[in-house]
Amino acid sequence: MSDVKSTKPSSAAELTQDVMHRAARIEDRFHAYREKRARKRGYAVTVVPYPGYGSTEWVRVLSRVLLTRNPRPGSRAARKMQKRSESVRGWRSFVAVPINEVSVTITIDGTQTVVKADRGGVVDVQIPMKLTPGMHTVQIQAEGSEVTESTIHVISPQVSVGLVSDVDDTVMVTALPRPFLAAWNSFVLDEHARVPTPGMAVLLSRLASIQKDMPVVYLSTGAWNVAPTLRRFLGRNLYPKGTLLLTDWGPTHDRMFRSGRAHKETQLRRLASEFPQIKWILVGDDGQHDEAIYSAFEKEHPRSVKAVAIRQLSNGEAVLAGGRKKAEEHIQAGDAPWVYAPDGAGLSAQLTEFNVL
């Protein structure tokens, strides 16, 4: 009788992992092809800087490296590009060409540090550096690019209160739970047509003024592609300035698609670890996972939460989002007050009652 070597079939998890690895490799090859084609067409390396933050011992620098077409200054093409940049539709930001793993030089107070951008051209690095509290300028330059400048908010050890706010359906009405409207808002709708949530700019401005130089963080599952559009929206609608903590789209080596919920959970834990002395006011909405994320974070870090403010979606939005849970289920997560209202004015009134404002 001949011996037959049996082979154990691959498990579903192994097959899924292989598919994800292939998806990531395909994405890498696609980006490499686009980068090569863009360079042949004369596109120039451009650094898009984002505001960062830090302590007196380190700073977190954020930016993205892209290939863009640079017309001659003063030309008609330059004027047209400037006009487009002031009224960018969402889809344009998703067709930019990122440069993978390019070297980037960061200069702060005369000290240079060379780092590498990630697979999506994103630079997100923590650099050890002693700085005084307040705003500092950071200069960023990639290979062959012009020097761009951004700001770093160095937070004083005496600061004890911070603000973290969601973006979609919290500071702007995007109807994110509705897939088709979400796609329209993200890829098609002009940024000037995006609608700020009533009263939220006033609320966040009041919260940001509780303590001098307190950190403001906008934590979103949105992609880095929309960061420039989002910054203009926040500025135009008088929201307080702050750091954007966004994510990237597409496959990774361990997931087919990046997890927005995991992104928020990771960033909140990081903030709690970086600033253990700060109690955070968490602002979100009840249309996705903000309640569950904030509740779990409060249970894990009860000393890091000062209050939670949840903007209630309309009944139609809530139904399409899969319903909403009762507020009482989340108030029990810890000692911090939880308030619910459909707009900033209602949240502000309740936070005042709890002596948060």
Side-chain angles (χ1 to χ4, degrees), residues 28 40 64 68 154 172 182 207 250 272 278 292 316 331-332:
D28 288 341
K40 285 184 177 180
R64 192 162 186 246
T68 61
V154 175
M172 68 167 68
L207 290 173
I278 291 181
I331 293 177
Q332 302 306 316

Side-chain angles (χ1 to χ4, degrees), residues 258-296:
R258 289 169 173 82
S259 169
R261 178 168 179 167
H263 163 69
K264 284 189 172 182
E265 292 170 342
T266 299
Q267 296 303 323
L268 284 172
R269 292 192 190 102
R270 178 169 179 172
L271 289 171
S273 174
E274 292 171 337
F275 304 104
Q277 82 282 7
I278 291 181
K279 284 184 172 289
W280 297 93
I281 301 172
L282 308 176
V283 183
D285 64 82
D286 64 356
Q288 289 188 300
H289 303 293
D290 288 346
E291 292 173 288
I293 293 171
Y294 292 166
S295 179

Side-chain angles (χ1 to χ4, degrees), residues 19-80:
V19 170
M20 290 187 294
H21 276 287
R22 289 184 181 182
R25 289 196 297 269
I26 291 172
E27 184 190 42
D28 288 341
R29 287 197 293 268
F30 177 64
H31 282 315
Y33 165 77
R34 293 184 66 210
E35 179 182 341
K36 183 178 179 180
R37 190 166 182 269
R39 288 183 183 277
K40 285 184 177 180
R41 297 177 64 183
Y43 282 42
V45 178
T46 302
V47 176
V48 181
Y50 309 126
Y53 66 86
S55 73
T56 54
E57 301 293 330
W58 53 265
V59 293
R60 184 178 182 182
V61 181
L62 302 160
S63 63
R64 192 162 186 246
V65 187
L66 306 170
L67 283 172
T68 61
R69 179 176 294 172
N70 283 344
R72 180 171 53 84
S75 66
R76 182 180 179 183
R79 291 193 298 271
K80 289 179 66 176

Side-chain angles (χ1 to χ4, degrees), residues 63-66 98-102 104 117-123 248:
S63 63
R64 192 162 186 246
V65 187
L66 306 170
I99 307 179
N100 297 340
E101 301 181 352
V102 65
V104 178
D118 70 9
R119 292 175 59 243
V122 175
V123 175
D248 204 357

